[in-house]
Amino acid sequence: MARMVVFRELGGPGVMRLEDVEVRDPGPGEVRVRVAAIGLNRSEVLFRSGLYIEPVRRFPATLGTEAAGVVEAVGAGVTGLRPGQPVSTVQTFSMNDYGVYGERVIVPAAAVLRRPEGVGEVEGAAVWMSYVTAYGALMETGGLRPGDTVVLNAASSSVGLAAIRVADRLGATPIALTRSAAKKEALLKEGAAEVIVTGPEEGVAEEDVAEDVAERVLAATGGRGAELVLDAVAGPGVRDLARAVADGGMLLVYGALSGQPTPYPGIELGMPPVAMRTYTMLETTTSPERLRRAEAFVASGLRSGPSGPSWTARSSWRRSPRRTATWSRTRRSARSWSPSPDPRPPARR
């Protein structure tokens, strides 16, 4: 038996329950992992709440796609992985089929990455989702090149911070958008070439601030615009973001934080030569070749310098609903959770 977080109805953190479940042997193409730490992601909050891009198909349901631990057993046909090997998991699967909020979990072998030497359990559970998402969006789908400019909103999120670092490492210029002036200095320290505060200031209408984004980007690029805009918010704001895209560039929508309908702005802007499309990390993780390149890129960054999350916590399994509720309310910029064996208060770093 092992403890696993499950939920039997849609709702807030209170619907989660810690239950003892049978631990089965991995089937063909599967791996059993003893979990040391899990990553907390917005997708899990949305899935549990019934707001995710795919619905919950059955109850009881499980949660989680990102974890770090060691291999316990491998199923038939699995090669390159062995018991005792330190690993991390990434999302290649539906949470309707697998979940990693547990002590001992089964996942597809395709979702298991070898954890680089020197990368701890907490970092190993927190780095892959954000960095693979950013890498895939910027390099595989967005085609970002040295000398290009990328604009990204929700810049202080884990993916936003990862995108700043990926762009900087590539030799591109990241321009960060944030609603809070208090985050400006921190984003500059993270590597943003410029930070544009989009939050409304006293006496300034919201639409005037949003319109200024395009003007600032055009000014920063000599009138050219950004080759890529990475949008985690969607909604009506895509109109203003599209104005900041260079001819031949792309507006890449990978989130919907606004919760509002998202128009296609091309017609009302005079049909500029700008592409607009959506993106999810699954485009990268479900392609063996793309995932191989992403793993190599992220692992190289981990070996060459700090790339990990800026906020972590340690807590026991019995604190799972409380920890998730706290993270959901605060929406920290980066996140992981290591289930320590005793219920000591969490320590931040």
Side-chain angles (χ1 to χ4, degrees), residues 156 178-188 195 331:
S156 58
T178 179
R179 291 182 56 83
S180 172
K183 296 178 180 178
K184 181 173 182 177
E185 289 304 317
L187 288 169
L188 289 171
V195 177
R331 293 167 67 181

Side-chain angles (χ1 to χ4, degrees), residues 76-329:
V78 175
T79 60
L81 296 169
R82 65 183 189 282
Q85 186 174 16
V87 293
S88 297
T89 66
V90 296
Q91 185 179 12
T92 64
F93 52 85
S94 166
M95 284 183 280
N96 282 300
D97 301 321
Y98 300 92
V100 301
Y101 279 22
E103 293 177 318
R104 301 165 72 194
V105 302
I106 301 290
V107 293
V112 180
L113 303 179
R114 299 165 187 82
R115 186 145 40 92
E117 185 177 351
V119 176
E121 296 161 343
V122 172
E123 291 78 10
V127 71
W128 293 102
M129 180 73 75
S130 53
Y131 276 86
V132 171
T133 300
Y135 164 86
L138 269 58
M139 299 182 67
E140 295 284 355
T141 301
L144 197 68
R145 297 165 295 185
D148 286 350
T149 296
V150 58
V151 174
L152 46 119
N153 57 18
S156 58
S157 68
S158 58
V159 174
L161 294 174
I164 289 172
R165 295 172 182 175
V166 170
D168 187 61
R169 185 176 173 203
L170 181 64
T173 300
I175 297 178
L177 309 184
T178 179
R179 291 182 56 83
S180 172
K183 296 178 180 178
K184 181 173 182 177
E185 289 304 317
L187 288 169
L188 289 171
K189 289 180 181 178
E190 289 289 342
E194 186 167 345
V195 177
I196 302 172
V197 178
T198 64
E201 301 174 8
E202 185 177 354
V204 179
E206 184 87 25
E207 59 268 21
D208 293 334
V209 176
E211 186 174 321
D212 187 58
V213 171
E215 294 176 2
R216 290 279 302 277
V217 171
L218 291 170
T221 57
R224 185 183 77 250
E227 282 73 23
L228 181 63
V229 173
L230 193 59
D231 181 16
V233 179
V238 297
R239 296 185 180 95
D240 298 298
L241 291 178
R243 293 178 56 244
V245 182
D247 287 353
M250 181 184 295
L251 171 56
L252 196 58
V253 180
Y254 76 99
L257 292 175
S258 73
Q260 300 180 58
T262 302
Y264 173 71
I267 302 300
E268 63 184 271
L269 294 181
M271 300 179 70
V274 170
M276 177 180 173
R277 59 158 293 185
T278 57
Y279 167 83
T280 74
M281 189 184 74
L282 291 170
E283 287 188 42
T284 301
T285 59
T286 58
S287 164
E289 281 302 299
R290 287 189 173 199
L291 181 57
R292 178 184 62 81
R293 292 192 291 264
E295 180 181 7
F297 182 87
V298 177
S300 172
L302 289 170
R303 288 191 297 268
S304 63
S307 297
S310 60
W311 182 85
T312 61
R314 297 191 68 89
S315 183
S316 69
W317 278 113
R318 73 187 70 179
R319 288 175 176 259
S320 56
R322 186 184 310 173
R323 173 58 56 212
T324 307
T326 301
W327 177 82
S328 301
R329 288 195 304 269

Side-chain angles (χ1 to χ4, degrees), residues 331-342:
R331 293 167 67 181
R332 295 282 179 173
S333 59
R335 68 293 162 274
S336 70
W337 175 25
S338 175
S340 59
D342 60 318

